[in-house]
Amino acid sequence: MILCVGLATVDLVYRVDRVPGVDEKAQARSAEVAAGGPALNAAITAAALGAPVTLVTAIGTHPLGALIRQDLETHDVRLVDAAQDSEGLPPVSTVIVVNGTGERTIVSRNAGDRSFRVPGEGLPDAELTLVDGHHPVLAVAAARAARTLVVDAGTWRPVFADILPHADVVACSAAFRSLDGLTAPDVIVTHGPAPVTWTRDGHTEEIEVPPVEALDTAGAGDAFHGALAYALHAGKPMRDAITEAIRVAGVRVQHPGPRSWLDEL
C-alpha cells in the first residue's frame, strides 16, 4: 500500500485567455470546482495507475469537505481524516489557467495555521510513504514511521528540516530553496519541459522529457510524484520510475481540467 500524507483542498479553477491585471476584471472561458492539493492529486494518480492508496489529510465536517471526500471515493483512495471533528473551512485554492499555454496561477492559504494531531489509531502501515510537507505534525510522524519515504519538496517549508533526514527519495523543482544541501540517496529535480536530473552517489544524469502540447499544467508536479510513488512501489528501478513519472505528467498537461486526463493513462 502507498500512504500519501499532506494537503487536500477545494479548488476553484478558472480558464482565461489571459491573467487579469491589478483592479481589472476578466471573463473566464470556464469554471470548475474540484478537489486538489499535492498529496491528494498524487494519491489519485497512484490509485488510477493501479496501486492501493490511503490519504492522510485534514478535511473536517464543513459542507465543502464533501466534495473532497466524493472525489477520493470515486477514485478508490481510502481516507484518514485527522480533522474529522473540525467544523472549519477546508483549504480552498483559486487556480487560474491560461487558455492556449496551460500556465497556471494559484492563490491559496493551504492549511494556514491549522494543526492536527495524528489520529488515535495511528498511521496506516505502508510499503511506501509520500509526504508533501503540509500538516507538519502528520508529515513528521509519517516520515519517522516510513519504510520507504518519498518527499514531494515542491516549495521549501521549515518542516522539511525534520523530514528530509528520513528521506529515501526527494523529488523537487529547480526552485527548491535548499537544493544544494539535499543529501538523500536519490534526488530528482524537475525543470518543467527541460530534462529531469537524477542524482545518486554523487553522480547526476539527465532524463529527457518528450515534448508535448501543454494545455493545463495545474497539478503536473503532483501527477509526477504520484506516478513516481506508484512505479517505485511496483518495484521498478529508479530510472524507469522517473521515466514513468515523466510520461504520466506529460499526459496530465495535455488535457484541460482536473481529472479527465486520468482516462488516458
Side-chain angles (χ1 to χ4, degrees):
M1 190 263 287
I2 295 174
L3 180 66
C4 295
V5 180
L7 188 65
T9 66
V10 174
D11 288 353
L12 177 57
V13 185
Y14 289 112
R15 181 169 291 273
V16 300
D17 290 325
R18 63 181 181 85
V19 178
V22 176
D23 202 27
E24 182 182 6
K25 296 180 180 180
Q27 181 69 28
R29 282 178 170 264
S30 64
E32 296 178 272
V33 181
L40 180 143
N41 285 334
I44 287 178
T45 300
L49 289 166
V53 183
T54 296
L55 173 67
V56 178
T57 187
I59 299 173
T61 61
H62 190 280
L64 281 178
L67 185 148
I68 302 174
R69 295 175 186 277
Q70 180 59 54
D71 201 13
L72 293 171
E73 182 178 343
T74 297
H75 294 95
D76 296 321
V77 175
R78 176 178 173 244
L79 171 65
V80 175
D81 185 6
Q84 58 183 339
D85 297 324
S86 172
E87 298 179 355
L89 185 73
V92 178
S93 298
T94 297
V95 184
I96 302 174
V97 180
V98 179
N99 194 53
T101 68
E103 297 169 312
R104 86 285 191 270
T105 300
I106 300 174
V107 178
S108 176
R109 195 164 182 265
N110 295 329
D113 55 3
R114 304 171 83 204
S115 180
F116 299 97
R117 297 189 298 270
V118 175
E121 65 273 20
L123 298 175
D125 186 39
E127 289 80 23
L128 183 144
T129 299
L130 171 69
V131 300
D132 65 12
H134 293 277
H135 299 302
V137 173
L138 300 176
V140 171
R144 290 174 175 169
R147 298 189 205 173
T148 298
L149 178 65
V150 178
V151 178
D152 165 3
T155 302
W156 170 258
R157 298 179 185 84
V159 70
F160 283 131
D162 296 318
I163 293 173
L164 292 176
H166 303 280
D168 297 286
V169 182
V170 176
C172 60
S173 69
F176 187 68
R177 194 182 81 180
S178 294
L179 189 58
D180 293 338
L182 292 179
T183 58
D186 289 287
V187 177
I188 301 161
V189 184
T190 58
H191 305 263
V196 173
T197 56
W198 165 40
T199 301
R200 173 184 284 181
D201 297 331
H203 172 72
T204 299
E205 67 173 281
E206 293 187 345
I207 302 175
E208 290 296 320
V209 175
V212 298
E213 182 183 4
L215 298 179
D216 189 345
T217 61
D222 307 338
F224 181 95
H225 297 132
L228 180 69
Y230 163 80
L232 293 174
H233 179 264
K236 291 189 177 184
M238 182 59 72
R239 198 181 200 288
D240 292 347
I242 296 171
T243 300
E244 171 68 357
I246 291 171
R247 180 192 73 81
V248 170
V251 174
R252 195 276 165 266
V253 302
Q254 292 180 77
H255 298 83
R259 297 287 178 254
S260 63
W261 68 279
L262 295 172
D263 295 333
E264 305 300 321
L265 291 178

